[in-house]
Amino acid sequence: MKRIKAACICQTLHFMLKEEVEHSDAVKQVQDEVVKYKEQLQRNNTKHKLIEETEQPDGSILLKIIKQYNSSLVGEYLD
């Protein structure tokens, strides 16, 4: 029998601008969405490690993150 001892997921998330919105408003919306995403991780007690946050030339944002997979133990992944 096998059991998962530890698990994490590595993600690159691209928070993209909405095309039908004025550029400055779209950038603000993306920034707000990133803040809400981070707050949701905290609120859900999801263990995570933000590897990189990069604003792109168009104002969109890339997040590279390692986070807890479901409710699995994270082991040494986040050290």
Side-chain angles (χ1 to χ4, degrees):
M1 176 180 357
K2 65 180 176 185
R3 295 203 188 271
I4 296 173
K5 299 289 267 180
C8 280
I9 186 168
C10 182
Q11 295 180 324
T12 301
L13 304 167
H14 190 184
F15 292 85
M16 298 171 53
L17 303 178
K18 294 182 179 176
E19 294 179 12
E20 64 276 0
V21 178
E22 185 179 326
H23 182 75
S24 60
D25 292 337
V27 170
K28 176 70 172 130
Q29 287 176 0
V30 163
Q31 292 169 346
D32 291 344
E33 187 178 2
V34 170
V35 168
K36 286 179 186 175
Y37 178 76
K38 291 177 182 178
E39 288 173 349
Q40 181 182 2
L41 289 171
Q42 295 291 333
R43 197 171 35 256
N44 294 339
N45 294 319
T46 302
K47 295 179 182 175
H48 65 283
K49 184 177 189 179
L50 183 62
I51 304 300
E52 184 179 334
E53 181 174 343
T54 310
E55 185 171 340
Q56 302 300 296
D58 68 350
S60 64
I61 297 176
L62 278 179
L63 281 186
K64 292 185 182 180
I65 189 169
I66 299 173
K67 68 179 188 175
Q68 184 177 22
Y69 181 71
N70 294 335
S71 59
S72 299
L73 298 174
V74 297
E76 297 177 3
Y77 286 109
L78 300 179
D79 291 342

